[in-house]
């Protein structure tokens, strides 16, 4: 249980994350493949120093500005995201006026309903994804199935822990994508307009905090924040941190 992990344990956050994923598998929210994905992400986070690096914070601020600018923002939720940050996703959705939509590669009615119920138990008034009355063009697997009045209609989509082919397909549809991923070499962040190379347990609360600080900003200020964000630089700086450890405390 996460409450049994001492707060001063040097691996506290990592151990809490592992336990949340394990609990998600037990609850039917997270797939067994999600355990593998979490382990891969944990390795990258370790190399990043398990902290939000400056370029990631810049990306999170740009993400907040982009969500506030959106006509119809949607936060896409998979099993790992639901297990790790359900309350934080609900809070972000409320802050920026976004819909929450469940979207899964390993899709079953039971998992879809379990995740929707889980999000609602953490405060979501409504969760999309169960209707699945539209498809993303160019994808054959289950992640193509989306709600017509959700991801299909969205102008901005936040896609945490994304798979590359759907990220590319959403970009082809003209969606502005915000991708949260700990691997700067992955297709997903390299496809995104705003790649956030950070752990989702830090990224979502950080985006929410930035959104709250920008709520009263004029539209031209928000547009300037988005325009000034350099996606290539963010990817490069994250890769440099992973390869060299530059910037970490010794």
């Amino acid at each position: 249980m996460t409450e049994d992990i001492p707060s001063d344990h040097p691996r506290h956050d990592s151990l809490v994350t592992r336990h949340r994923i394990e609990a998600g598998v037990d609850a039917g929210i997270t797939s067994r493949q999600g355990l593998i994905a979490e382990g891969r992400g944990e390795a990258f986070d370790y190399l990043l120093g398990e902290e939000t690096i400056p370029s990631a914070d810049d990306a999170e601020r740009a993400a907040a500005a982009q969500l506030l600018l959106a006509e119809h923002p949607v936060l896409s939720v998979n099993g790992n995201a639901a297990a790790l940050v359900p309350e934080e996703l609900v809070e972000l959705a409320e802050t920026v006026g976004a819909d929450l939509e469940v979207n899964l590669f390993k899709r079953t009615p039971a998992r879809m309903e379990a995740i929707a119920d889980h999000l609602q138990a953490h405060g979501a008034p409504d969760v999309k994804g169960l209707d699945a009355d539209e498809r993303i063009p160019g994808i054959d697997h289950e992640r193509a199935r989306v709600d017509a009045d959700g991801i299909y209609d969205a102008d901005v989509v936040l896609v945490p822990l994304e798979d590359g082919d759907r990220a590319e397909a959403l970009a082809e549809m003209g969606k502005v994508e915000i991708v949260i991923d700990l691997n700067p070499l992955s297709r997903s962040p390299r496809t995104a307009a705003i790649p956030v190379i950070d752990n989702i347990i830090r990224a979502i609360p950080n985006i929410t905090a930035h959104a709250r600080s920008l709520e009263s900003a004029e539209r031209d200020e928000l547009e300037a924040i988005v325009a000034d964000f350099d996606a290539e630089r963010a990817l490069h700086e994250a890769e440099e941190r992973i390869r060299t450890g530059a910037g970490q405390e010794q």
Side-chain angles (χ1 to χ4, degrees):
M1 299 295 290
T2 57
E3 59 267 22
D4 296 330
I5 302 169
S7 59
D8 60 351
H9 191 291
R11 308 293 301 148
H12 175 272
D13 290 351
S14 176
L15 292 172
V16 166
T17 301
R18 291 182 202 177
H19 284 304
R20 287 180 182 172
I21 292 291
E22 291 169 357
V25 173
D26 292 341
I29 291 170
T30 306
S31 70
R32 287 179 297 173
Q33 289 79 6
L35 290 166
I36 299 170
E38 173 56 32
R40 184 173 61 244
E42 184 177 326
F44 281 106
D45 199 23
Y46 188 82
L47 294 170
L48 283 166
E50 296 181 305
E51 63 180 3
T52 299
I53 64 176
S55 58
D57 188 65
D58 290 343
E60 287 153 3
R61 187 166 185 261
Q66 186 68 80
L67 288 166
L68 290 169
L69 285 166
E71 293 293 326
H72 182 196
V74 174
L75 313 183
S76 181
V77 184
N78 66 7
N80 279 31
L84 292 173
V85 286
E87 187 172 335
E88 293 85 348
L89 284 166
V90 171
E91 190 174 356
L92 175 58
E94 290 175 349
T95 301
V96 300
D99 288 329
L100 289 164
E101 179 165 341
V102 182
N103 182 267
L104 303 175
F105 186 83
K106 299 286 185 180
R107 181 189 179 105
T108 66
R111 276 192 74 205
M112 293 293 293
E113 290 175 11
I115 293 172
D117 290 346
H118 185 65
L119 292 171
Q120 289 175 328
H122 284 84
D126 182 52
V127 179
K128 296 186 182 297
L130 300 180
D131 291 340
D133 48 356
E134 265 294 357
R135 295 186 66 88
I136 299 170
I139 303 179
D140 293 330
H141 57 69
E142 290 290 81
R143 295 207 76 169
R145 299 177 64 186
V146 293
D147 279 15
D149 62 349
I151 288 173
Y152 193 84
D153 179 63
D155 57 339
V156 177
V157 186
L158 184 146
V159 281
L161 317 178
E162 182 59 286
D163 62 307
D165 57 349
R166 193 178 76 128
E168 291 175 341
L170 287 170
E172 286 292 320
M173 290 180 72
K175 313 293 185 190
V176 176
E177 287 184 275
I178 301 162
V179 170
I180 300 171
D181 197 313
L182 280 159
N183 179 5
L185 301 176
S186 175
R187 274 188 303 162
S188 302
R190 291 187 172 273
T191 299
I194 302 177
V196 180
I197 310 302
D198 201 2
N199 193 316
I200 191 172
I201 67 173
R202 297 188 299 269
I204 295 296
N206 287 348
I207 294 171
T208 301
H210 282 301
R212 285 178 173 157
S213 73
L214 293 169
E215 278 180 315
S216 61
E218 297 292 337
R219 187 172 185 86
D220 58 354
E221 180 183 349
L222 297 175
E223 290 172 345
I225 291 169
V226 173
D228 289 344
F229 174 70
D230 188 333
E232 288 299 320
R233 183 179 67 83
L235 291 168
H236 174 73
E237 291 186 7
E239 183 179 348
E240 282 297 299
R241 169 64 77 94
I242 288 170
R243 291 183 183 277
T244 69
Q248 292 190 38
E249 292 184 5
Q250 301 298 319

